[in-house]
Coordinates of all heavy atoms in Angstrom, one line a residue:
V91 N 25.1 34.0 -20.9 CA 25.1 33.3 -22.1 C 24.1 32.1 -22.0 O 23.3 31.8 -23.0 CB 26.5 32.8 -22.5 CG1 26.4 31.9 -23.7 CG2 27.4 34.0 -22.7
N92 N 24.2 31.4 -20.9 CA 23.3 30.2 -20.8 C 21.7 30.7 -20.7 O 20.9 30.0 -21.3 CB 23.5 29.5 -19.4 CG 22.8 28.2 -19.2 OD1 22.4 27.6 -20.1 ND2 22.4 28.0 -18.0
F93 N 21.6 31.8 -20.0 CA 20.2 32.4 -20.1 C 19.8 32.7 -21.5 O 18.6 32.3 -21.8 CB 20.2 33.6 -19.2 CG 18.9 34.2 -19.0 CD1 18.3 34.1 -17.6 CD2 18.2 35.0 -19.9 CE1 17.0 34.6 -17.4 CE2 17.0 35.5 -19.7 CZ 16.4 35.3 -18.4
L94 N 20.6 33.3 -22.3 CA 20.2 33.7 -23.7 C 19.9 32.4 -24.5 O 19.0 32.4 -25.3 CB 21.3 34.6 -24.2 CG 21.3 36.0 -23.7 CD1 22.6 36.6 -24.0 CD2 20.1 36.8 -24.1
E95 N 20.9 31.5 -24.3 CA 20.6 30.2 -25.1 C 19.3 29.4 -24.8 O 18.7 28.9 -25.6 CB 21.9 29.3 -25.0 CG 23.1 29.9 -25.6 CD 24.4 29.0 -25.3 OE1 24.3 28.2 -24.3 OE2 25.4 29.2 -26.0
R96 N 19.1 29.5 -23.5 CA 17.8 28.8 -23.0 C 16.6 29.4 -23.4 O 15.6 28.8 -23.6 CB 17.8 28.6 -21.5 CG 19.0 27.7 -20.9 CD 18.7 26.2 -21.2 NE 17.6 25.8 -20.3 CZ 17.7 25.4 -18.9 NH1 19.1 25.3 -18.5 NH2 16.8 25.0 -18.2
Y97 N 16.6 30.8 -23.6 CA 15.4 31.6 -23.9 C 15.6 32.1 -25.3 O 15.0 33.2 -25.6 CB 15.2 32.7 -22.9 CG 14.4 32.1 -21.7 CD1 15.1 31.4 -20.7 CD2 13.0 32.1 -21.8 CE1 14.4 30.8 -19.6 CE2 12.3 31.5 -20.7 CZ 13.0 30.9 -19.7 OH 12.3 30.3 -18.6
K98 N 16.3 31.4 -26.1 CA 16.5 31.9 -27.5 C 15.1 31.9 -28.2 O 14.4 30.9 -28.1 CB 17.4 30.9 -28.3 CG 17.9 31.5 -29.6 CD 19.0 30.5 -30.2 CE 19.5 31.2 -31.5 NZ 20.7 30.4 -32.1
G99 N 14.8 32.9 -28.9 CA 13.5 33.1 -29.6 C 12.4 33.5 -28.7 O 11.2 33.4 -29.1
K100 N 12.7 33.8 -27.5 CA 11.5 34.0 -26.4 C 11.4 35.5 -26.1 O 12.4 36.3 -26.3 CB 11.8 33.3 -25.2 CG 12.0 31.8 -25.4 CD 10.8 31.0 -25.8 CE 11.0 29.5 -25.9 NZ 9.8 28.8 -26.5
K101 N 10.3 35.8 -25.5 CA 10.1 37.2 -24.9 C 9.8 37.1 -23.5 O 9.0 36.2 -23.0 CB 8.9 37.7 -25.7 CG 9.1 38.1 -27.2 CD 7.8 38.7 -27.8 CE 8.1 39.0 -29.2 NZ 6.9 39.6 -29.9
I102 N 10.5 38.0 -22.8 CA 10.3 38.0 -21.3 C 9.8 39.5 -21.0 O 10.5 40.4 -21.4 CB 11.6 37.8 -20.6 CG1 12.1 36.3 -20.8 CG2 11.4 38.0 -19.0 CD1 13.4 36.0 -20.2
M103 N 8.6 39.5 -20.5 CA 8.0 40.9 -20.3 C 7.8 41.1 -18.8 O 7.3 40.4 -18.0 CB 6.6 41.0 -20.9 CG 5.9 42.3 -20.6 SD 4.3 42.4 -21.5 CE 4.9 43.1 -23.0
F104 N 8.3 42.3 -18.4 CA 8.1 42.8 -17.0 C 6.9 43.9 -17.2 O 6.9 44.7 -18.0 CB 9.3 43.6 -16.6 CG 10.5 42.9 -16.1 CD1 11.4 42.4 -17.2 CD2 10.7 42.3 -14.8 CE1 12.4 41.6 -16.9 CE2 11.8 41.6 -14.6 CZ 12.8 41.2 -15.6
V105 N 6.0 43.7 -16.2 CA 4.8 44.7 -16.3 C 4.6 45.2 -14.9 O 4.5 44.4 -13.9 CB 3.5 43.9 -16.6 CG1 2.3 44.9 -16.7 CG2 3.6 43.1 -17.9
G106 N 4.8 46.5 -14.7 CA 4.8 47.0 -13.4 C 5.3 48.5 -13.3 O 5.3 49.2 -14.4
D107 N 5.7 48.8 -12.1 CA 6.0 50.3 -11.9 C 7.5 50.5 -12.0 O 8.2 49.7 -12.6 CB 5.5 50.6 -10.5 CG 6.0 49.7 -9.4 OD1 7.1 49.2 -9.6 OD2 5.4 49.6 -8.4
S108 N 8.0 51.6 -11.4 CA 9.4 51.9 -11.6 C 10.4 50.9 -10.9 O 11.6 50.9 -11.2 CB 9.8 53.3 -11.1 OG 9.3 53.5 -9.8
I109 N 9.9 50.2 -9.8 CA 10.7 49.1 -9.3 C 10.8 47.9 -10.1 O 11.8 47.2 -10.2 CB 10.1 48.8 -7.9 CG1 9.8 49.9 -7.1 CG2 11.1 47.7 -7.3 CD1 11.1 50.8 -6.6
S110 N 9.8 47.7 -11.0 CA 9.9 46.7 -12.0 C 10.9 47.2 -13.1 O 11.7 46.4 -13.6 CB 8.5 46.6 -12.6 OG 8.4 45.8 -13.8
N111 N 10.8 48.4 -13.4 CA 11.9 48.9 -14.3 C 13.3 48.8 -13.8 O 14.3 48.5 -14.5 CB 11.6 50.4 -14.5 CG 12.6 51.2 -15.4 OD1 13.5 52.0 -15.0 ND2 12.7 50.8 -16.7
N112 N 13.5 49.0 -12.4 CA 14.8 48.8 -11.9 C 15.3 47.4 -12.2 O 16.5 47.1 -12.4 CB 14.6 48.9 -10.3 CG 15.6 49.8 -9.6 OD1 15.4 50.2 -8.5 ND2 16.7 50.0 -10.3
M113 N 14.4 46.4 -12.0 CA 14.7 44.9 -12.2 C 15.0 44.7 -13.7 O 15.9 43.9 -14.1 CB 13.7 44.0 -11.6 CG 14.0 42.6 -11.8 SD 12.7 41.5 -10.9 CE 13.5 39.8 -11.3
W114 N 14.1 45.2 -14.6 CA 14.3 45.1 -16.1 C 15.6 45.7 -16.5 O 16.4 45.1 -17.3 CB 13.2 45.9 -16.7 CG 13.4 45.9 -18.2 CD1 13.1 44.9 -19.1 CD2 13.7 47.0 -19.0 NE1 13.3 45.4 -20.3 CE2 13.8 46.8 -20.3 CE3 14.1 48.4 -18.6 CZ2 14.0 47.6 -21.3 CZ3 14.4 49.3 -19.6 CH2 14.4 48.9 -21.0
Q115 N 16.1 46.9 -16.0 CA 17.3 47.4 -16.3 C 18.5 46.5 -15.8 O 19.5 46.5 -16.5 CB 17.4 48.8 -15.7 CG 16.6 49.9 -16.6 CD 17.1 51.2 -16.6 OE1 18.3 51.5 -16.3 NE2 16.2 52.3 -16.9
S116 N 18.3 46.0 -14.7 CA 19.4 45.1 -14.1 C 19.6 43.9 -15.0 O 20.7 43.6 -15.4 CB 19.0 44.7 -12.8 OG 19.7 43.5 -12.3
L117 N 18.5 43.3 -15.5 CA 18.5 42.1 -16.3 C 19.1 42.5 -17.7 O 20.0 41.7 -18.2 CB 17.1 41.5 -16.5 CG 17.2 40.2 -17.4 CD1 18.0 39.1 -16.8 CD2 15.7 39.7 -17.5
T118 N 18.8 43.6 -18.2 CA 19.3 44.0 -19.5 C 20.8 44.2 -19.4 O 21.6 43.9 -20.3 CB 18.7 45.2 -20.2 OG1 18.8 46.4 -19.3 CG2 17.2 44.9 -20.5
C119 N 21.3 44.9 -18.3 CA 22.7 45.0 -18.1 C 23.4 43.7 -17.9 O 24.5 43.6 -18.6 CB 22.9 45.9 -16.9 SG 22.5 47.7 -17.0
L120 N 22.9 42.8 -17.3 CA 23.5 41.5 -17.0 C 23.6 40.7 -18.4 O 24.7 40.2 -18.6 CB 22.7 40.7 -16.0 CG 22.7 41.1 -14.6 CD1 21.6 40.5 -13.9 CD2 24.1 40.7 -14.0
L121 N 22.7 40.8 -19.3 CA 22.6 40.1 -20.4 C 23.6 40.7 -21.5 O 24.4 40.0 -22.2 CB 21.2 40.0 -21.0 CG 20.3 39.1 -20.1 CD1 18.9 39.2 -20.8 CD2 20.8 37.7 -20.0
H122 N 23.6 42.1 -21.5 CA 24.5 42.7 -22.5 C 25.9 42.5 -22.1 O 26.8 42.3 -22.9 CB 24.2 44.3 -22.5 CG 25.2 45.0 -23.3 ND1 25.4 44.8 -24.6 CD2 26.0 46.1 -22.9 CE1 26.3 45.6 -25.1 NE2 26.7 46.4 -24.1

Side-chain angles (χ1 to χ4, degrees):
V91 174
N92 186 32
F93 189 103
L94 290 167
E95 289 176 343
R96 294 280 290 272
Y97 276 84
K98 191 169 185 176
K100 306 293 186 182
K101 293 182 179 179
I102 298 174
M103 173 178 275
F104 291 83
V105 183
D107 55 31
S108 53
I109 308 300
S110 174
N111 177 250
N112 228 163
M113 185 173 178
W114 172 77
Q115 289 209 17
S116 164
L117 183 58
T118 59
C119 289
L120 288 165
L121 295 177
H122 174 58

